[in-house]
Amino acid sequence: MKINRSQFLKIFTLLLFSGLVISSCQDKTATAEKFGADTVDFPKVSDPILLIDNEKEHLYASYYGINSFSQNDKYATILETDIKDRLPTENDPATLGLVHLETQEFTPLAETRAWNFQQGCMAHWLGTSPDSLIIYNDLRDGQFVSVILNVHTKEELRTIPYPVSAVSPDGKKAVSINFSRIRKTRPDYGYGGDGQDANLETAFPEDDGLFVIDLETGTAELIVSLADVQELVPELPEEGIEYFNHTLISRGGSKIFWLARAIPHRNTTALTVNIDGSGLTKCFPDGWGGSHFDWLNDDELMVTAAYQATQYSHILFTPDQKNYKRLGGGLLDYDGHGTFSPDGKWMITDTYPSKSPIREQKIYLMDMNSQAVLPLGRFVQPEEFSGPWRCDIHCRWSSSGNLVGFNSTHTGSRQAYLFRLR
């Protein structure tokens, strides 16, 4: 009997997740006990749902931890491309589209030339109109910009002369960094096309760094320059270059977290600052590094870092007074992409692929109260996806907390998936 691609993917997914995605309360309790708690009322989690099946590659249109879903849980922002195993350039537009989560219909919205496989085009739903307006990055007339778009009318409301890397919860402000500089220092997170001055001749430029954009006026202010952090980061070799990456505004909108990194050794310093530019704070001692992160509230955040050991852990802390707390009771001692549910009750995280030949990526859900950990599934990543075009799981919550989206290549192509929680 012949089967089409859609039927194959459904059968493959059912076989892959049989016995791994736990659906009954009894099974969940047993698993929670195994991972450190007697009784935890974990939500029921659906089998993974494939969002689009049309023979192309797909990924969520933003970085992990960024809400890809409209507030009414009806739509998700997705990128569609034919590229699979190389870095995209400015000559490789991706289609930014909207997926209806019930009908799984894909509606193209626009093309973007400012995107990558790790962070998409940094599409965000805007809090001022969370079911209608998004902002995303593009390359236009040789410049990286961000575009505010109505997803229903496809009308462009405003083009802002700065790319965004994070957006405030109320949709009124955004953070901008230099994606051309990132393309030269960490290629898989930058954009092709030289849409900004990478300024590689200067290790710590005074006129580049962390910008805050007023999305209503389109104006931007440099609140922390690369030169401002020179005394806070490890000393660079003569040929070294410092750069900023991975920004996130706190849930109340008052603070920004980001990473200062360098080449050639990629030394990492985790930093926070108030959104007005005051209160610049170094989070960890040198050597702890820092990798992935999320704000729990305006005072506490989680970062994976080498806390009191060489192995990375998921650490909850307060930047001003530190108060470091290792999460997961030893079960989450690795570098994962942890992100909190909107109510702060849960943290979901993932793993990088295990060593060949298996190359398994896993997803775990943790109860913040008991620290009990529930495995949600494992995904085998084909060898062809190792490299700067790799596919990290990159979970992200909907604003209701009822949906979790993630990317995976376990069927041999890059696709966007969904868990429904209830």
Side-chain angles (χ1 to χ4, degrees):
M1 179 182 67
K2 293 183 178 180
I3 61 175
N4 60 31
R5 183 173 183 268
S6 179
Q7 290 171 322
F8 167 78
L9 290 175
K10 290 178 181 178
I11 294 171
F12 188 96
T13 301
L14 286 172
L15 290 173
L16 181 65
F17 290 94
S18 178
L20 294 174
V21 178
I22 300 165
S23 58
S24 73
C25 294
Q26 182 178 1
D27 286 341
K28 285 185 178 186
T29 302
T31 304
E33 289 176 352
K34 181 179 178 181
F35 283 80
D38 293 332
T39 56
V40 175
D41 187 19
F42 280 100
K44 293 183 178 180
V45 183
S46 72
D47 289 342
I49 301 167
L50 174 68
L51 289 193
I52 311 170
D53 179 20
N54 63 2
E55 307 297 333
K56 292 183 179 289
E57 307 282 311
H58 300 93
L59 63 151
Y60 282 94
S62 59
Y63 198 32
Y64 87 96
I66 295 173
N67 180 19
S68 296
F69 305 99
S70 57
Q71 188 171 357
N72 59 13
D73 281 355
K74 191 174 182 179
Y75 301 103
T77 50
I78 299 291
L79 283 185
E80 182 175 88
T81 179
D82 292 318
I83 298 174
K84 184 173 183 177
D85 55 3
R86 64 176 175 83
L87 286 177
T89 73
E90 66 274 20
N91 299 315
D92 297 312
T95 299
L96 172 62
L98 208 62
V99 176
H100 191 295
L101 298 181
E102 290 295 336
T103 66
Q104 297 182 307
E105 178 184 2
F106 179 74
T107 302
L109 297 176
E111 283 193 343
T112 175
R113 296 176 185 269
W115 69 281
N116 56 55
F117 284 122
Q118 301 308 310
Q119 298 179 325
C121 58
M122 278 299 187
H124 290 71
W125 290 90
L126 292 182
T128 51
S129 186
D131 292 329
S132 300
L133 301 184
I134 62 169
I135 187 169
Y136 69 95
N137 292 337
D138 198 4
L139 174 65
R140 298 189 177 181
D141 300 321
Q143 182 181 8
F144 293 142
V145 300
S146 53
V147 181
I148 297 178
L149 177 75
N150 186 307
V151 299
H152 303 300
T153 66
K154 300 186 182 180
E155 177 187 3
E156 293 186 1
L157 277 67
R158 185 176 298 116
T159 299
I160 295 169
Y162 301 89
V164 298
S165 61
V167 175
S168 63
D170 63 8
K172 295 182 178 180
K173 294 183 179 180
V175 175
S176 184
I177 52 179
N178 191 327
F179 285 93
S180 285
R181 192 175 180 91
I182 298 172
R183 183 71 167 197
K184 307 300 183 184
T185 54
R186 188 83 191 280
D188 36 345
Y189 288 89
Y191 303 145
D194 297 323
Q196 292 167 280
D197 180 7
N199 195 7
L200 299 180
E201 296 75 23
T202 307
F204 292 95
E206 296 182 353
D207 59 352
D208 192 13
L210 198 71
F211 292 83
V212 171
I213 310 168
D214 184 327
L215 294 181
E216 295 179 341
T217 65
T219 59
E221 178 186 2
L222 178 65
I223 64 166
V224 181
S225 72
L226 283 150
D228 289 336
V229 306
Q230 186 167 1
E231 301 303 318
L232 298 177
V233 303
E235 185 177 354
L236 297 186
E238 184 175 348
E239 71 278 14
I241 297 173
E242 195 78 16
Y243 65 98
F244 288 168
N245 198 5
H246 298 320
T247 67
L248 189 65
I249 300 175
S250 62
R251 299 193 175 218
S254 66
K255 298 176 183 178
I256 304 168
F257 173 90
W258 80 104
L259 299 180
R261 284 179 163 166
I263 58 170
H265 304 305
R266 212 178 103 181
N267 295 325
T268 299
T269 303
L271 301 163
T272 62
V273 70
N274 295 325
I275 203 163
D276 63 3
S278 64
L280 178 61
T281 301
K282 180 177 179 177
C283 297
F284 303 131
D286 289 341
W288 282 28
S291 187
H292 303 112
F293 51 89
D294 192 21
W295 287 96
L296 180 60
N297 48 54
D298 266 30
D299 298 313
E300 298 175 286
L301 60 96
M302 183 283 304
V303 178
T304 54
Y307 171 49
Q308 297 181 346
T310 57
Q311 185 172 355
Y312 267 45
S313 302
H314 291 66
I315 305 167
L316 187 69
F317 72 103
T318 53
D320 54 348
Q321 300 180 15
K322 312 313 180 194
N323 297 325
Y324 305 115
K325 177 183 178 181
R326 181 164 150 256
L327 297 176
L331 295 168
L332 302 181
D333 285 353
Y334 58 83
D335 187 8
H337 301 84
T339 182
F340 298 111
S341 60
D343 60 7
K345 184 176 181 179
W346 312 102
M347 183 182 77
I348 197 164
T349 191
D350 61 7
T351 70
Y352 283 109
S354 56
K355 294 182 180 180
S356 295
I358 300 176
R359 291 181 56 80
E360 283 187 339
Q361 297 169 288
K362 300 177 182 179
I363 298 179
Y364 295 109
L365 183 67
M366 189 190 76
D367 173 36
M368 288 295 294
N369 182 45
S370 68
Q371 305 287 294
V373 176
L374 177 70
L376 297 187
R378 60 188 183 192
F379 309 77
V380 176
Q381 184 178 96
E383 189 72 36
E384 63 188 300
F385 289 97
S386 58
W389 49 87
R390 70 188 181 278
C391 180
D392 295 340
I393 293 293
H394 283 175
C395 293
R396 74 271 330 277
W397 294 87
S398 68
S399 58
S400 68
N402 296 326
L403 306 175
V404 172
F406 61 98
N407 300 313
S408 178
T409 55
H410 66 269
T411 63
S413 66
R414 187 189 314 267
Q415 299 299 335
Y417 294 87
L418 182 72
F419 284 132
R420 291 189 179 274
L421 284 65
R422 60 185 190 280

